[in-house]
Amino acid sequence: MNSELLEMMPIKSDGDIVRIRRRTRDLSKAQGFKLADVTRVVTAASELARNIYHYAQEGTVHCYALTEGRRKGIKLVFEDKGPGIEDIELVMEEGYSTGNSMGLGLPGAKRLVDKITIESEMGNGTKVEIIKWM
Amino acid sequence: MDEQIALLNIKDILVVIVPSDPHDETITMLQEDVLEALQKNASNGVILDISTVEIMDSFFARTLMETSMMIKLMGGVTVIAGMQPSVAITTIELGLNFGDIVTVLDVDSSLEYLKDLL
Amino acid sequence: MEVTIEEWNQRKVFANFTQDDVEALVGIKDKIRQKAEDVIDQLYVHMLEYPNLQEILYDESIILRLKGMQKRYFEQLFEGEYGEDYLENRLNIGRVHHRIGLEPSWYMGTYSHYIELIVPIIFETLNDTQEIQKTVLALIKIINLDQELAITTYLSAREEVIKEQSEEIMEISVPIIQVWEGIIAAPIIGTLDTSRTQLLMEKLLEGVVETKTRIVLLDITGVPSIDTATAQHIIDTINAVKLLGSEVVITGVSPAIAQTLVHLGIDLSGITTRSALAQGLKVALNKLNLELKAGQNG
């Protein structure tokens, strides 16, 4: 699988979240995703970027164009040095059912993309990777 | 920037033109502005026109839902108008529910609905 | 590109096509240049003997264009450059062939002809048996690599056609029909998997917005069986339509499906359901009538 870095964006402010939405929209459109999927990717990106801004205050997102054979896709990697998630499984499940603010981001994003990988260590930050294929 | 929240009064109905891709701050401000306008104009109905909104994440959706609950507490009725198809799809996929809030196709239908109701 | 530059490099390594081979081929470049025109003409005389090819090569301009391409192809074999440009050029040959309807079975013949016409030239030009052997082997390797490329592009082009056709079939399988002002019917035929549900949702929502529909009749007469996943897909679709301000009536609930829904404990309360499309239409018309009357009374 080929992975080409398209752009890196900081998450440090309210404005950054908006910029990430707009750039993600441009980049996924450029990759060739149809409107409904562009909307999904952008919405998922917005959720994850906001998570970082609210809980870690600072982080980054890297956007990659993926190619596997003739398949094209997009990958977004969100990283922060925030408090971390204690129980990833619980968050994925609980947030979804209670609909509270923190929780909705991750399970929501999961439903919008094809693959989501979460790495987190208490006190040492979190890394969330999402992939959507065309 | 096009972060303008336009508020129009049509008799006792407040029409809110929601900007297409607002900052979180703007979304929060929208809530305050709407409630204040509601009180000032003694409106009975509020139409939230989201026809230009292309992306709605959970924060945006939840704020709109909260706003509607607050409007209800202040004695008003909320109608959400003009949701775009792709927004409807992602809202459902995000697992968000607009609950009791009335959602309609466009502002015309909203006015009709409120006219009948109020 | 159907074949990336990395893949191409890998293929060359796998075929043991090395710098030595490159040099061997470049070694007879000049002689080849002299004979190029001749070789191509002989090639075409041979090709025009086949009735199938005669059909495709009916036009003078097509023949000229192909000859031009063949000459370019032929010369490039010995130029010593086997990188990205070479790759792109070879891939293009396959694409063009597919476009004009020339099939791979023909290619194989041509490559053999090339070898037949070039090997004598090698023997003419070189004296050393080692040299001759090296050069003939180099030629065979590069011709094989070229054949692989031409086939890859041809197959890719075919797959594209198949993909487009299956997409078309998918599109047709989710028809949206306007049966009355403000009412559309969406008969679902076949099983609902995730991608079809998405397609249905998108088409339905766009249809609702475009036609300002108030009521959607989602007909599942053509759905043979229903499982929890399918039911969830249908419920998601209904919720999405509701967000746009329209209502959904499910019609075509067969006894079998009714039983399955209850046994699976799927809650469809809040959604009007009927066993036949006609009944659903009646419900819809009633609802619209009531709205009309209410409007008139103001």
Side-chain angles (χ1 to χ4, degrees):
Chain A
M1 172 166 79
N2 253 337
S3 182
E4 187 200 324
L5 176 66
L6 294 174
E7 195 158 324
M8 189 281 276
M9 291 170 271
I11 303 168
K12 272 193 282 208
S13 70
D14 202 354
D16 285 338
I17 304 179
V18 177
R19 198 162 109 245
I20 287 173
R21 284 201 288 266
R22 299 199 183 145
R23 284 307 294 151
T24 306
R25 180 194 305 145
D26 294 340
L27 293 170
S28 40
K29 261 189 179 167
Q31 257 302 67
F33 281 92
K34 61 177 188 203
L35 179 62
D37 281 341
V38 168
T39 310
R40 289 184 177 105
V41 174
V42 175
T43 309
S46 190
E47 299 290 341
L48 297 174
R50 179 176 295 104
N51 263 2
I52 291 185
Y53 180 52
H54 280 184
Y55 297 97
Q57 279 78 56
E58 207 177 310
T60 58
V61 57
H62 287 76
C63 181
Y64 300 85
L66 300 177
T67 10
E68 188 174 63
R70 236 166 294 113
R71 219 164 50 138
K72 290 216 294 194
I74 198 167
K75 177 168 90 172
L76 293 156
V77 183
F78 293 81
E79 284 170 294
D80 67 69
K81 288 266 171 250
I85 304 171
E86 190 171 335
D87 189 334
I88 297 178
E89 273 180 47
L90 194 61
V91 165
M92 292 299 277
E93 208 191 306
E94 198 176 283
Y96 190 83
S97 55
T98 62
N100 71 54
S101 54
M102 162 66 175
L104 211 43
L106 284 171
K110 181 174 174 181
R111 275 187 80 176
L112 296 170
V113 301
D114 294 327
K115 183 168 175 202
I116 182 169
T117 334
I118 308 168
E119 274 169 41
S120 185
E121 208 185 303
M122 289 300 288
N124 217 5
T126 311
K127 179 167 146 188
V128 181
E129 200 180 276
I130 52 174
I131 296 182
K132 185 104 184 139
W133 292 103
M134 245 164 70
Chain B
M1 252 200 297
D2 62 326
E3 294 258 323
Q4 296 279 13
I5 306 167
L7 297 167
L8 315 159
N9 279 306
I10 303 180
K11 284 210 204 144
D12 61 341
I13 296 176
L14 180 65
V15 180
V16 183
I17 314 283
V18 180
S20 65
D21 189 10
H23 283 62
D24 283 7
E25 221 179 282
T26 310
I27 296 176
T28 313
M29 213 163 58
L30 182 146
Q31 193 171 79
E32 288 169 22
D33 288 354
V34 169
L35 297 177
E36 263 179 49
L38 180 69
Q39 184 179 58
K40 195 167 127 208
N41 302 307
S43 326
N44 292 318
V46 178
I47 299 175
L48 296 172
D49 181 358
I50 57 170
S51 52
T52 62
V53 176
E54 291 178 344
I55 302 283
M56 184 176 285
D57 62 15
S58 61
F59 176 72
F60 200 167
R62 249 176 307 112
T63 309
L64 291 182
M65 283 188 259
E66 277 173 15
T67 310
S68 154
M69 290 192 269
M70 294 167 188
I71 292 172
K72 188 167 176 193
L73 286 173
M74 290 176 68
V77 175
T78 315
V79 178
I80 292 185
M83 185 177 291
Q84 289 190 15
S86 43
V87 172
I89 296 178
T90 40
T91 305
I92 297 297
E93 287 176 3
L94 272 177
L96 290 162
N97 202 340
F98 273 88
D100 300 329
I101 307 179
V102 175
T103 47
V104 300
L105 205 52
D106 52 33
V107 178
D108 279 345
S109 321
S110 325
L111 288 168
E112 258 182 61
Y113 171 79
L114 286 174
K115 207 174 68 170
D116 289 341
L117 194 67
L118 298 172
Chain C
M1 276 213 288
E2 299 87 336
V3 176
T4 62
I5 187 70
E6 287 83 27
E7 248 182 88
W8 172 235
N9 288 336
Q10 267 174 22
R11 289 189 188 190
K12 282 188 281 184
V13 166
F14 196 68
N16 203 24
F17 183 75
T18 64
Q19 191 54 30
D20 281 345
D21 294 305
V22 174
E23 282 166 16
L25 291 170
V26 173
I28 55 167
K29 181 167 75 171
D30 294 323
K31 196 58 185 240
I32 291 293
R33 280 256 179 83
Q34 284 175 24
K35 301 259 177 168
E37 207 79 49
D38 250 357
V39 170
I40 300 297
D41 284 339
Q42 280 180 285
L43 193 69
Y44 270 84
V45 162
H46 195 107
M47 284 187 349
L48 286 174
E49 285 172 20
Y50 290 92
N52 300 25
L53 292 181
Q54 275 172 30
E55 260 173 57
I56 300 171
L57 301 175
Y58 61 86
D59 196 52
E60 266 305 314
S61 60
I62 294 186
I63 297 181
L64 265 169
R65 190 149 156 242
L66 272 182
K67 268 197 185 181
M69 279 181 74
Q70 292 289 5
K71 184 149 177 271
R72 194 73 206 99
Y73 168 84
F74 180 65
E75 284 169 353
Q76 256 195 321
L77 279 174
F78 304 94
E79 249 150 53
E81 195 37 68
Y82 305 99
E84 202 157 341
D85 284 335
Y86 185 90
L87 172 64
E88 181 53 28
N89 179 278
R90 270 32 188 173
L91 291 176
N92 207 36
I93 293 177
R95 291 177 202 136
V96 171
H97 282 148
H98 178 262
R99 213 158 46 221
I100 64 178
L102 239 52
E103 292 188 5
S105 43
W106 169 80
Y107 302 166
M108 300 318 141
T110 334
Y111 289 111
S112 305
H113 287 316
Y114 271 120
I115 297 184
E116 241 185 332
L117 294 168
I118 300 173
V119 168
I121 301 180
I122 297 176
F123 272 83
E124 261 176 48
T125 319
L126 303 168
N127 294 317
D128 190 60
T129 22
Q130 290 275 30
E131 287 286 320
I132 293 178
Q133 177 171 298
K134 221 173 80 167
T135 315
V136 169
L137 287 177
L139 176 70
I140 294 179
K141 284 182 201 173
I142 193 64
I143 295 251
N144 276 338
L145 285 164
D146 282 359
Q147 281 176 298
E148 270 179 39
L149 287 178
I151 295 191
T152 307
T153 9
Y154 187 87
L155 286 178
S156 280
R158 283 278 280 261
E159 271 181 46
E160 265 306 307
V161 172
I162 294 176
K163 191 170 134 210
E164 274 170 31
Q165 288 175 342
S166 51
E167 275 173 15
E168 258 185 65
I169 294 175
M170 269 249 282
E171 275 283 337
I172 301 172
S173 71
V174 289
I176 312 274
I177 310 159
Q178 178 149 31
V179 297
W180 199 263
E181 208 180 294
I183 307 177
I184 58 180
I188 306 176
I189 303 159
T191 40
L192 266 187
D193 61 14
T194 320
S195 50
R196 275 188 80 204
T197 308
Q198 281 185 5
L199 186 60
L200 174 67
M201 238 201 268
E202 286 159 36
K203 278 190 84 173
L204 200 52
L205 295 181
E206 274 160 40
V208 165
V209 173
E210 261 168 56
T211 58
K212 296 203 189 281
T213 294
R214 305 304 305 272
I215 304 184
V216 174
L217 300 172
L218 199 62
D219 186 68
I220 59 173
T221 312
V223 177
S225 61
I226 202 158
D227 55 16
T228 325
T230 312
Q232 190 56 48
H233 286 150
I234 294 180
I235 293 174
D236 283 349
T237 306
I238 294 174
N239 285 333
V241 171
K242 271 165 116 175
L243 281 176
L244 262 58
S246 296
E247 234 183 284
V248 176
V249 174
I250 300 182
T251 62
V253 181
S254 64
I257 295 211
Q259 287 171 319
T260 314
L261 287 172
V262 173
H263 286 154
L264 286 177
I266 294 169
D267 181 17
L268 286 180
S269 55
I271 304 174
T272 311
T273 53
R274 291 289 184 273
S275 65
L277 181 56
Q279 293 177 321
L281 185 54
K282 224 164 139 192
V283 168
L285 287 169
N286 275 336
K287 285 194 200 247
L288 286 186
N289 257 327
L290 285 173
E291 286 174 14
L292 258 171
K293 290 205 193 103
Q296 284 167 353
N297 291 340

